[in-house]
Amino acid sequence: MKKLLVSLAAFLTVVFGFGVFNVSAAPVKMADGQYFDAQYYAQNNPDVVAAFGTDVNWLYLHYTVCGKTEGRLPYDPSFGGNTSADSFNAAYYAARYPDVAAVFGNDPTLLKMHYDLCGKAEGRFPNAEAELATMPGPMPVYIVTDSSVEQQVLNLVNAERAKYGLAPLSWDPVNLGPGAALRAQEISVYFSHTRPDGTSCFTAITNPGMVGENIAAGQRSPQEVMNTWMNSSGHRANILQSRYTRLGVGYFYDPSSRYKYYWVQMFSS
């Protein structure tokens, strides 16, 4: 099963909103016909900037070769529509339905045309908010016990940290735990560090400070997802960040979705 993973670390010191990446410009059509906003891509993917810089061509190369399959977005998800239940969100539609994007690319006009002519009748959703609204019942409440998958991930994290002489992370049941659980459900329909309402992932938690998020999809067990994260430099850096002291883990299973298994780690100093 194809697996997705993305990492993000943001340093928030005084004002929590400082970590919300919302600077973007209108997407431009690239030579191959795809729409891309280099400024938005750079703001939301600091790991890519660290390796490739801010040159538009290099950023777009990364997106076409790696970023698209990793679930990264080419432009602000609010472009081409807002996030109300009846609006059309082109970035969401392209990311959610790769079969459509394979034919129409990221052109908002063509994507909207597909939705109007075919997608709606096929039961496709115009935005993540509309899809989330169809999920039955309230958000599942995970009871974190010694045998729960969340506790297993915490134990595996602390085992890795111990190898490097780092202090263990403590479970945060009030803030990071619920926030990670919510994010796990959100990424099952919108795999991104941007939430379905267009805000940063860190708006799912309330405390300011140094925070980070790892997300992944498709891994069937705590050990498998930890192996995936530890084999990725960005995720590994979050797990082994010496300044972090607390952790919340979210896990969501939806057998009807594309990747079925969804994982989130939220870290805080």
Side-chain angles (χ1 to χ4, degrees):
M1 177 184 293
K2 185 179 179 182
K3 301 177 179 65
L4 294 179
L5 63 148
V6 180
S7 71
L8 178 65
F11 297 88
L12 313 182
T13 54
V14 179
V15 181
F16 177 77
F18 181 78
V20 178
F21 300 116
N22 54 17
V23 178
S24 62
V28 298
K29 183 180 286 189
M30 305 301 285
D32 59 0
Q34 301 291 302
Y35 278 74
F36 185 70
D37 179 353
Q39 188 175 13
Y40 174 84
Y41 200 72
Q43 288 285 333
N44 285 275
N45 300 288
D47 57 322
V48 178
V49 172
F52 292 84
T54 57
D55 181 81
V56 174
N57 294 319
W58 280 106
L59 291 173
Y60 187 63
L61 176 65
H62 178 274
Y63 171 72
T64 56
V65 175
C66 307
K68 185 182 299 185
T69 59
E70 293 171 350
R72 302 179 195 249
L73 298 179
Y75 50 77
D76 191 324
S78 65
F79 180 76
N82 56 47
T83 56
S84 63
D86 59 351
S87 66
F88 182 77
N89 186 311
Y92 158 82
Y93 200 73
R96 180 68 176 83
Y97 304 112
D99 58 321
V100 177
V103 177
F104 295 94
N106 294 311
D107 187 321
T109 302
L110 294 179
L111 292 170
K112 180 64 162 59
M113 180 184 71
H114 178 275
Y115 174 72
D116 290 337
L117 296 178
C118 308
K120 186 182 298 185
E122 294 169 351
R124 300 180 192 258
F125 299 97
N127 57 58
E129 288 291 302
E131 184 166 1
L132 283 170
T134 66
M135 290 188 170
M139 172 69 193
V141 176
Y142 295 111
I143 305 301
V144 180
T145 65
D146 289 343
S147 60
S148 68
V149 293
E150 294 88 348
Q151 183 64 48
Q152 291 177 54
V153 172
L154 173 63
N155 292 342
L156 289 168
V157 165
N158 286 335
E160 292 293 341
R161 290 175 66 87
K163 294 177 184 178
Y164 296 88
L166 299 173
L169 302 182
S170 60
W171 181 262
D172 182 349
V174 177
N175 187 33
L176 299 181
L182 174 60
R183 290 287 298 130
Q185 181 167 351
E186 290 180 346
I187 66 170
S188 72
V189 299
Y190 196 49
F191 192 83
S192 172
H193 290 299
T194 300
R195 301 182 67 192
D197 65 2
T199 62
S200 162
C201 59
F202 300 124
T203 62
I205 55 178
T206 58
N207 66 316
M210 178 181 171
V211 294
E213 177 182 77
N214 285 346
I215 62 177
Q219 296 81 3
R220 295 170 179 262
S221 69
Q223 186 63 67
E224 185 178 354
V225 74
M226 276 297 297
N227 289 344
T228 302
W229 278 328
M230 288 302 293
N231 286 323
S232 169
S233 59
H235 303 84
R236 181 187 180 94
N238 272 344
I239 291 168
L240 300 180
Q241 169 57 248
S242 62
R243 292 175 60 187
Y244 288 145
T245 59
R246 292 174 291 177
L247 178 70
V249 178
Y251 167 71
F252 183 69
Y253 175 68
D254 179 3
S256 66
S257 66
R258 184 178 182 184
Y259 296 101
K260 298 182 173 59
Y261 306 87
Y262 301 89
W263 306 85
V264 174
Q265 292 176 320
M266 297 200 82
F267 304 85
S268 176
S269 52

